[in-house]
Amino acid sequence: MLRYLSAGESHGKALVAIVDGFPAGVPIDLEAINVELRRRQGGYGRGGRQKLEHDQVEVLSGWWRGVSLGSPIALMVVNRDHKLERMDDLYRPRPGHADLAGSIKYLSSVRAVLERASARETAVRVAVGALAKQLLAPLGISVFGYVVAVGPVNVASPGGSLDDLRRRREQSELYTLDPSRDGELKSLVDSAQKTGNTLGGVIEVRVDGLPVGLGSHAHWDRKLDGRLAQAVMSVQAIKGVEIGLGFEMARRFGAEVHDPIQFDPRLIGERCLGFTRPTNNAGGLEAGITNSQTLVIRAAKKPISTLARPLPSVNLETLEPEIASYERSDVCAVAAASCIVENVVAFEIAAALLEKFGGDSLAEIEAHWSSFYQLARRKIQPES
Ligand code: EPS
C-alpha cells in the first residue's frame, strides 16, 4: 500500500512528508522533483512569498546511490521565510479561509489554524507526487496538468502529441495550452489586482498510458474516480471536480454520452487488448475502474480568500463588525494549482497501480502488469 503523511506550517521550519510503500529499484531524479517545485512557485499572479522561497527537496531516507530502497522515503522542503514564533495572531477572520470555523473548532487562535490551512503545504505534496511520477514514468504512464480557464475566460486545449502540449504549456505564463491567450489572461489578473481582488479558474489533468483495471467497482472506497475526487478536492481552494464530460453528461441523452465499444484484433499487443472507443466522454473511468483510455479530470479553484480589499467580517475580540484581515497573498494561483493537482493525481494513480499489480520492486510491478495482460488476452481470445 502506497501512502504518505505530511506535516508543516506555512511559516514553520520546514514541510515534511513520509512516503511509505514506495517500491525498491526506482531511480530518483532530484532535479525532476525540484523542477516541479519551481513550477508550483511560478505562474502569473503569484505573491511576494515566492520571491523569498527557493523550494528544493531534500531526501532524508529511503534511497541509496540515487535508487529507492523500498523503505519509507522522508522528504523535506525548508521554509526560508521561517518566522512563526514572531508572527502575530489575527482577529478579523477572512471569509473563505479556515480562520473562523477552524479557530472555533480547535478553541484556538486564528494563527493556529491558518498556518496549516495555507496552500504552502502543497509544496511537499508536489514533492510526493513528483516522486510518484518517477515510478509511473518507467512504466510509460504520464500525468499532465494545465489551466483551461482563468476566472470567466476559457482557454481551449488543442490536440497534439504530449511533447507538443508540454512545449505549449512551458510557453504560457498561466500554464494554459494556448500561450497566444496570455495577454488577455494577464490583463484580467492585473485588473483583479488593481481592485484588491483575486481570481480562480479551472484546471485539467490527463493521464496517458494507463492499463485497464486500476481501481475497483466492488466497494465504494476502492472506486478510483471517488478516490481521485477526494484527493483533488483536498487541495486548498478546490471547490469542484469532474471526470470526462462531467456535469455536461447530466444535460445529454445517454446515447450522446456513452462511448461505443469497438474491437480490432490487429491492435492487440503488449499494452493493448484490441478494444477502441471513438469518444472518451467517460474520461477513462467506468464504474471506478480505468478502461485504458486517457483519464481526464478537471478541478474548479475558487479565488483565493485573502483579499487586499477585504470583505465584511467580525472582530473576534469585540464582536463588532469590521473588515477582514489582510495578509500577503496571491492574486491568482490557478497556474500553481494546475501543478499541484497534477502531482496529487500522480500519487493516486501510483497508489492504484500498486494495488492492482503489487510488488516490492519496479521489476516485479512490470512483470505483474505484463502477466495480467497475458491473462486478459487469453480471456478475450482463448484459442490464441
Ligand atoms: C503559498 C504561500 C503562502 C501564500 C499562499 C500560498 O505564503 P504567505 O502566507 O507567507 O504569503 O502565498 O497561501 C495562500 C494562498 C493561503 O490562502 O494561505 C505557497 O507557497 O503556495
Side-chain angles (χ1 to χ4, degrees):
M1 180 172 74
L2 185 67
R3 57 189 175 152
Y4 74 98
L5 282 176
S6 83
E9 278 71 40
S10 180
H11 302 95
K13 281 191 178 171
L15 302 155
V16 295
I18 294 183
V19 183
D20 179 42
F22 195 84
V26 181
I28 298 176
D29 176 357
L30 280 193
E31 183 46 25
I33 301 180
N34 288 331
V35 163
E36 291 299 85
L37 292 179
R38 280 198 291 278
R39 201 157 66 80
R40 192 204 74 91
Q41 287 200 271
Y44 195 76
R46 287 291 250 167
R49 178 74 183 267
Q50 305 314 323
K51 294 190 182 83
L52 302 173
E53 302 293 345
H54 297 284
D55 291 345
Q56 285 203 318
V57 73
E58 274 184 61
V59 182
L60 304 178
S61 72
W63 73 333
W64 184 53
R65 296 182 178 167
V67 178
S68 63
L69 298 175
S71 50
I73 298 181
L75 303 175
M76 178 167 76
V77 179
V78 167
N79 286 323
R80 282 194 169 192
D81 199 21
H82 154 222
K83 57 179 183 190
L84 185 52
E85 292 309 322
R86 287 177 276 122
M87 291 188 91
D88 294 330
D89 198 8
L90 255 66
Y91 298 95
R92 294 168 290 132
R94 293 159 297 171
H97 221 294
D99 302 358
L100 181 62
S103 62
I104 295 173
K105 173 177 166 62
Y106 286 90
L107 305 176
S108 71
S109 64
V110 169
R111 174 69 59 197
V113 294
L114 82 86
E115 281 288 325
R116 179 66 181 157
S118 164
R120 176 80 193 139
E121 175 264 338
T122 58
V124 83
R125 267 206 271 181
V126 164
V128 169
L131 177 74
K133 275 195 212 153
Q134 302 194 8
L135 166 63
L136 300 177
L139 296 165
I141 299 173
S142 70
V143 187
F144 179 66
Y146 40 92
V147 170
V148 292
V150 175
V153 180
N154 293 327
V155 182
S157 314
S161 72
L162 266 177
D163 283 345
D164 271 355
L165 301 183
R166 253 178 233 290
R167 265 192 295 278
R168 283 167 167 273
R169 187 183 72 181
E170 267 161 33
Q171 284 160 13
S172 163
E173 285 184 67
L174 280 133
Y175 302 178
T176 73
L177 298 184
D178 187 355
S180 74
R181 303 283 302 278
D182 272 17
E184 183 189 345
L185 300 177
K186 282 162 73 176
S187 9
L188 194 63
V189 175
D190 292 345
S191 67
Q193 179 160 35
K194 277 191 204 110
T195 53
N197 227 321
T198 54
L199 268 175
V202 181
I203 291 143
E204 189 166 281
V205 175
R206 53 182 280 179
V207 188
D208 289 273
L210 288 169
V212 184
L214 304 191
S216 171
H217 69 292
H219 201 247
W220 67 269
D221 58 356
R222 293 170 61 197
K223 289 172 187 267
L224 187 56
D225 41 12
R227 286 164 54 164
L228 284 165
Q230 198 278 327
V232 172
M233 270 294 211
S234 78
V235 173
Q236 287 80 344
I238 300 298
K239 288 301 238 183
V241 175
E242 57 178 14
I243 290 174
L245 205 52
F247 275 58
E248 175 57 26
M249 281 191 182
R251 289 184 270 270
R252 298 192 186 181
F253 290 110
E256 298 159 350
V257 162
H258 300 294
D259 308 307
I261 301 172
Q262 296 162 350
F263 181 69
D264 181 350
R266 289 166 306 176
L267 297 176
I268 294 177
E270 257 311 284
R271 291 287 183 100
C272 182
L273 299 175
F275 295 103
T276 58
R277 319 291 282 263
T279 53
N280 182 21
N281 294 333
L285 282 159
E286 289 170 307
I289 305 174
T290 56
N291 62 9
S292 90
Q293 296 246 90
T294 299
L295 192 152
V296 182
I297 184 162
R298 267 182 303 282
K301 181 184 189 298
K302 71 179 181 181
I304 281 171
S305 45
T306 307
L307 303 183
R309 192 176 287 172
L311 290 172
S313 182
V314 167
N315 185 316
L316 295 179
E317 293 205 307
T318 64
L319 297 182
E320 293 297 326
E322 263 183 64
I323 58 159
S325 299
Y326 176 69
E327 291 225 319
R328 174 186 64 193
S329 190
D330 312 295
V331 175
C332 178
V334 70
S338 70
C339 170
I340 300 161
V341 173
E342 172 185 305
N343 281 288
V344 160
V345 166
F347 181 85
E348 290 308 316
I349 296 295
L353 187 92
L354 280 167
E355 270 162 46
K356 172 66 183 150
F357 297 130
D360 294 310
S361 64
L362 180 58
E364 198 180 346
I365 297 165
E366 274 171 334
H368 289 171
W369 181 332
S370 127
S371 67
F372 168 68
Y373 259 55
Q374 226 172 335
L375 290 170
R377 276 191 297 271
R378 217 178 296 154
K379 173 199 152 31
I380 293 161
Q381 289 187 313
E383 68 286 355
S384 68

